[in-house]
Amino acid sequence: MKLSKDELLADIEQQGSTKKRPPKVAPPTKRGYKSILSLWQDFALRIDQPALVPSAGYMKSFFKMLAIEHKGMLGPRLSLNTLCPYVTRLATAYKHEHDIEIPQRVVGEVKDWIKTDLKDLLALSSKARPKPMADSQDLEVLIRYLWVEDKHSFRNQLDRVKLHFFLLCLAYTVSRPGAVVVSDSYRNSNEAMKYRDLKFHLTRDVEGGPPQMSLTVTFKLMKGDRDEEDEFVTITLWEDRAYPHLCPIMPFLTLAYEHDAFDIKPEELFCATLDRSVVEVPLKDEVLDMPLFRAADGTAAWTYAASYRALTALAYRAGYRCQVTSYAIRRGAANILEKSATWAETGILMGHKNAKVLQARYVNKHVGVDLQSLFHKRTAKTDRLRPLRSLAAEHFPGAPCDLRGTDLHQKLRKHPKYIERRQEWQDLKQSAASAALVKAAKTKMNVELARLRRVETKKLREDWIKTDGLRYLRMQRQDNAAQELSKELNDYTLPPWRATVTEMLFEASDQSQEGRLVLLRNLRDLSKVKFVRATCCPLHSKEIFSAIATEFIIHRNTSACISIVFAAENLLRTKSLLFAICMKFTHKYFF
């Protein structure tokens, strides 16, 4: 199609009269702009100059106000590491919003003033937030705890598999969590890793063994380049037959089959033979636009906030004193890349266009060089530095996670603040208040109790940690009988559905295709195990409850349930009581 002269002239006239559009910015940047401009507008109104344009003098007064009136995360005032970037943000935001450019000379002058005069005047700190780094040992500790020791009850046991795969995915791809799950910066967008970004392959084994399984992941949600189709990173993950708990393929297959992503059956997959070097196993078209990591509803994508809570809670229960986030794992992977990959490769994998970002934000400042040995021309013993550079020194296995099992757990119900909230709730119940007000009062009461318990748990945990070193020293002097007693008291019996999986993950000697197929089946069977509150039937023990629930949910076999209960007769006093519990349980809660 060829445009006419009139059309060309009309277009030229239109383009000349079109107002210049501001440059496009990402949602998180927009929120930052809105925040700083709101603060500036508030400052301008307070001095009766609503149309105030930033200048050096006014900007200095503005940032002095911020430093005095706003509390920092690490101290009583905002730090230099917060205020100086705010100067650049204000200048950029004002240019974007009003198309008025603040000279770089002014920006530099204000920054220098903050770093010198304002710093001395208000005793501002340049302290940065701690950036913990998790290494391979920390990853193994978390995964082992998740399966072997964790007493937490997931509402869906496949959430345990999901968290397992999430940890491995972060470690093996050095990706930002926002490239895997829904980023908080793009909340409500449901943008996350999808099946369309994955390719599953079978590759011929060069040694003549079963085909090697691999998962190729393409990360398209790159920071700052989400709208750029040519900005992506592709990484391939391989199965690990020697260490099943560190294998990313098995948890992926568990989730994929739960989502009905393959046409091929697991038996066909594990028994396949190849007539060429590599074969792609196709995914169903209907799942390509569905997320891999999903929320509780089974359709929406898992969010960063939810994954953050799951990971930090797991690390907390495992006994880590510091907060372990997905970025701690990313830093650990980044420090490995820094030593073993070129800058170009590291920059592509991490999504950095500037080498200074890696050095400033990710490289561990606890140097991993045994200079003491090298100085004397001895063999460097860098391995002994590992626990000091990672989270090992912050790990206190057995640290209390809550108050359950202590007298304080119930005593807090007598706390004045809780009693006050409870009285408000009871008064509303007895009055003519609406159901919504009564419910809100009850929620406030429960929130207050939870807050009190968190505060006391933190105190209990810190007191426990402070004496932890001495406790370990004393343990070395205990006799064998005392050690056995301590082990018995701290022993935790795994539910039957986890015991089988755990044994195959951590103690498996069968690395055959048949053995791995059995592991996949057991992982998939976790979806049949539903969360049931232990308070449903208060007369029986946890062991009996677990046995009954598992057998009945999987097989719906009442006689088998009864036989299991009778086999555990030593847990209660009489067989008749066991039988009554079993019958009451099965009829009331399953029929």
Side-chain angles (χ1 to χ4, degrees), residues 133 171 174 328-340 346 350 352 358 362-363:
M133 185 196 80
V174 72
I329 299 174
R330 177 171 158 89
R331 289 187 200 99
N335 277 266
I336 295 173
L337 280 178
E338 190 265 336
K339 294 180 180 178
S340 56
T346 303
M350 299 199 66
H352 293 162
L358 178 66
Y362 289 92
V363 173

Side-chain angles (χ1 to χ4, degrees), residues 10 22 28 63 67 74 119 128 162 212 266 297 351 359 363 394 438 479 484 487 532 573:
F63 285 105
L74 302 176
K119 176 185 177 182
K162 178 174 67 176
Q212 291 281 338
D297 63 3
Q359 181 178 348
V363 173
E394 294 290 321
V438 174
D479 56 26
E484 288 297 324
K487 181 180 179 182
V532 186
R573 294 183 179 179

Side-chain angles (χ1 to χ4, degrees), residues 200-219:
F200 191 79
H201 294 97
L202 296 178
T203 306
R204 182 184 294 162
D205 192 300
V206 294
E207 298 179 356
Q212 291 281 338
M213 298 181 185
S214 66
L215 178 67
T216 299
V217 186
T218 299
F219 294 94

Side-chain angles (χ1 to χ4, degrees), residues 405-505:
T406 67
D407 294 337
L408 197 56
H409 184 71
Q410 293 300 328
K411 282 184 179 179
L412 285 175
R413 292 182 180 274
K414 299 179 181 179
H415 194 282
K417 291 186 178 179
Y418 174 75
I419 293 175
E420 180 183 350
R421 291 292 187 187
R422 183 176 178 82
Q423 189 62 48
E424 291 176 3
W425 171 59
Q426 290 177 338
D427 291 343
L428 285 172
K429 278 181 65 178
Q430 295 171 2
S431 68
S434 65
L437 287 176
V438 174
K439 184 178 180 181
K442 185 176 182 181
T443 300
K444 287 182 180 180
M445 176 188 71
N446 292 333
V447 168
E448 181 61 31
L449 180 60
R451 186 192 67 80
L452 291 171
R453 284 174 173 168
R454 282 197 304 272
V455 171
E456 293 301 324
T457 299
K458 185 176 180 180
K459 292 179 182 177
L460 177 67
R461 187 180 176 92
E462 286 300 319
D463 290 342
W464 189 95
I465 288 174
K466 286 177 182 178
T467 59
D468 188 73
L470 293 177
R471 182 180 293 106
Y472 279 127
L473 291 175
R474 289 196 297 271
M475 285 290 290
Q476 298 298 323
R477 296 195 294 268
Q478 287 183 343
D479 56 26
N480 292 334
Q483 290 186 20
E484 288 297 324
L485 177 61
S486 176
K487 181 180 179 182
E488 182 178 346
L489 291 174
N490 292 304
D491 193 26
Y492 170 57
T493 303
L494 286 175
W497 53 81
R498 272 175 60 192
T500 304
V501 171
T502 298
E503 182 179 356
M504 299 189 74
L505 282 176

Side-chain angles (χ1 to χ4, degrees), residues 125-243:
S125 170
S126 59
K127 185 178 180 180
R129 282 187 294 176
K131 294 181 172 62
M133 185 196 80
D135 67 357
S136 60
Q137 296 296 323
D138 296 310
L139 180 68
E140 288 206 48
V141 166
L142 289 172
I143 292 175
R144 178 173 289 276
Y145 182 85
L146 176 67
W147 285 102
V148 180
E149 303 173 51
D150 194 8
K151 300 178 183 179
H152 179 70
S153 296
F154 289 87
R155 289 191 172 274
N156 186 335
Q157 285 297 318
L158 279 181
D159 288 345
R160 199 180 300 274
V161 180
K162 178 174 67 176
L163 182 54
H164 182 178
F165 185 43
F166 182 66
L167 289 171
L168 295 178
C169 190
L170 293 176
Y172 297 162
T173 65
V174 72
S175 61
R176 289 185 176 89
V180 179
V181 296
V182 180
S183 170
D184 269 0
S185 298
Y186 295 84
R187 58 177 65 93
N188 301 323
S189 68
N190 208 43
E191 291 183 356
M193 181 191 293
K194 299 179 180 178
Y195 277 100
R196 186 178 297 280
D197 305 323
L198 311 175
K199 290 185 181 297
F200 191 79
H201 294 97
L202 296 178
T203 306
R204 182 184 294 162
D205 192 300
V206 294
E207 298 179 356
Q212 291 281 338
M213 298 181 185
S214 66
L215 178 67
T216 299
V217 186
T218 299
F219 294 94
K220 299 177 181 177
L221 302 177
M222 306 298 289
K223 184 177 181 180
D225 293 317
R226 288 190 171 223
D227 296 330
E228 302 295 332
E229 295 184 5
D230 61 341
E231 292 291 339
F232 60 87
V233 177
T234 301
I235 302 175
T236 298
L237 308 178
W238 295 88
E239 64 176 327
D240 190 339
R241 296 175 184 173
Y243 302 96

